[in-house]
């Protein structure tokens, strides 16, 4: 059947019509276990009653006015996020790419304020920050950059997890470091425990901004509100999106200290960013995470999954590593395994493969113990069948 939708995705042959918790039902009535939560978006699962009620109530009151006027729910959401993350203010937009775009613009303007004509940002190999031209240029993946050159020439790239490589940079034009606390698209790469503290120290010594891309790791995914909290540090800039609205598009760029004074009236904006509907959904997400103690639950379930997979796949010669933090899990095989997404679909599971050979699992935080076991058994069976073929 022909489609008028641009073919920017190699979509799997299924269409969903409803969901509940970690489950999705296709148009033919088949049930699937969503182990990627819409790519780390639906942390509360699908059709969460509290979020659904908040959206319906707000839609009946006010959806949009514009940022030419005050938005009370936006003020409330900014205050909550700053309280949870130790930040000073927030800019709202509609996606992770836009949030990272705001952070990069902030860094560039910060550099100009210091008299640097061509400000540069240190970024990491195998990173992913978005598909706008600026964020695509920051991304460390030549495959997604191909055919969009020339890219923005503002970045110095170093190996992820290597603080010594950052320390070795000798360039007076550097103004910031942009890094993911855990690389999701890069293959669920967890850096050494000393990496983020070392970056914080370097940024303090050299007057750089430490900017953390928490688009995938934020909002309790890793068993803390934000991934940086595991390292006991504080960023100057932090970006959020994905799970912030549990499916309602919303992104945020939060800043602290001197970075909080950079973006002033007329210097950045967003027509839809932080509208009443999106902010009401995000406030409902935060309230639900707190009320149901899902931050601690994510840490507990994540350890159960890691232990379960390590036991089920113990001594498996084709499994190189099983790693992660909270409910961000990677199972790395010794071979490309993209076809596993199709095999999983046929078996009733939605999974994802990143960096060619790492199965990425991002299940919702509301899983029951039985659903955790269902996921362990199902994915282990897929891996065993695939590697035996």
């Amino acid at each position: 059947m022909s489609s008028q939708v641009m073919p920017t995705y190699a979509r799997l042959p299924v269409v969903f019509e409803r969901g509940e918790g970690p489950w999705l039902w296709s148009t033919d009535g088949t049930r699937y276990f969503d182990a990627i939560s819409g790519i780390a978006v639906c942390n509360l699962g699908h059709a969460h009653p509290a979020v659904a009620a908040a959206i319906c109530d707000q839609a009946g009151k006010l959806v949009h006015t514009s940022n030419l006027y005050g938005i009370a729910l936006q003020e409330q959401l900014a205050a909550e996020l700053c309280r949870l993350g130790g930040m000073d203010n927030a800019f709202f937009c509609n996606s992770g790419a836009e949030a990272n775009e705001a952070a990069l613009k902030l860094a560039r303007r910060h550099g100009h304020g210091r008299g640097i004509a061509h400000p540069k940002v240190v970024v990491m190999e195998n990173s992913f920050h978005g598909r706008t031209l600026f964020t695509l240029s920051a991304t460390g993946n030549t495959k997604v950059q191909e055919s969009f050159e020339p890219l923005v020439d503002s970045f110095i790239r170093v190996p992820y997890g290597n603080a010594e490589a950052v320390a070795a940079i000798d360039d007076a034009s550097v103004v910031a470091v942009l890094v993911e606390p855990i690389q999701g698209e890069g293959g669920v790469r967890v850096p050494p425990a000393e990496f983020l503290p070392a970056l914080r120290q370097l940024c303090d010594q050299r007057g750089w901004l430490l900017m953390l891309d928490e688009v995938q790791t934020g909002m309790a995914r890793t068993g803390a509100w934000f991934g940086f909290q595991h390292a006991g540090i504080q960023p100057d800039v932090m970006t959020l999106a994905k799970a912030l609205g549990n499916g309602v598009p919303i992104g945020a760029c939060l800043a602290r200290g001197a970075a909080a004074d950079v973006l002033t009236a007329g210097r950045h904006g967003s027509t839809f960013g932080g509208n009443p509907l999106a902010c009401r959904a995000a406030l409902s997400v935060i309230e639900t995470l707190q009320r149901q103690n899902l931050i601690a639950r994510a840490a507990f379930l994540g350890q159960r999954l890691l232990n379960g997979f390590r036991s089920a796949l113990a001594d498996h010669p084709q499994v190189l590593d099983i790693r992660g933090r909270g409910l961000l899990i990677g199972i790395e095989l010794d071979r490309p395994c993209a076809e596993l997404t199709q095999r999983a679909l046929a078996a009733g599971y939605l999974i994802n493969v990143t960096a060619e050979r790492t199965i990425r699992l991002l299940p919702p935080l509301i899983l029951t113990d039985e659903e955790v076991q269902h996921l362990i058994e199902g994915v282990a069976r897929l891996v065993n069948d695939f590697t035996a073929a």
Side-chain angles (χ1 to χ4, degrees), residues 87-89 106 110 209 236-237 254-263:
M87 307 300 281
D88 290 338
N89 58 19
L106 186 156
H110 171 72
L209 299 179
D236 301 298
V237 178
L254 286 81
R256 179 180 69 96
D261 300 325
V262 174
L263 295 180

Side-chain angles (χ1 to χ4, degrees), residues 23 43 66 122 162 219 302 324 350:
W23 301 98
N43 279 11
S66 97
V122 178
N162 189 335
M219 304 311 297
L350 306 184

Side-chain angles (χ1 to χ4, degrees), residues 270-344:
S270 171
T271 297
F272 295 105
N275 73 24
L277 184 69
C279 288
R280 180 74 183 275
L283 284 165
S284 176
V285 167
I286 292 172
E287 192 277 330
T288 301
L289 288 170
Q290 293 179 130
R291 176 170 45 82
Q292 297 186 1
N293 197 26
L294 292 176
I295 302 90
R297 180 70 174 167
F300 172 77
L301 292 179
Q303 195 57 55
R304 277 202 59 186
L305 281 172
L306 283 175
N307 292 342
F309 286 126
R310 286 167 178 165
S311 175
L313 298 170
D315 302 318
H316 195 302
Q318 284 81 39
V319 175
L320 299 183
D321 194 18
I322 299 172
R323 56 182 177 263
R325 178 168 288 146
L327 290 173
L328 173 52
I329 306 291
I331 302 173
E332 184 179 359
L333 305 186
D334 67 348
R335 65 195 68 182
C337 58
E339 68 179 85
L340 268 174
T341 58
Q342 182 69 63
R343 287 175 175 244

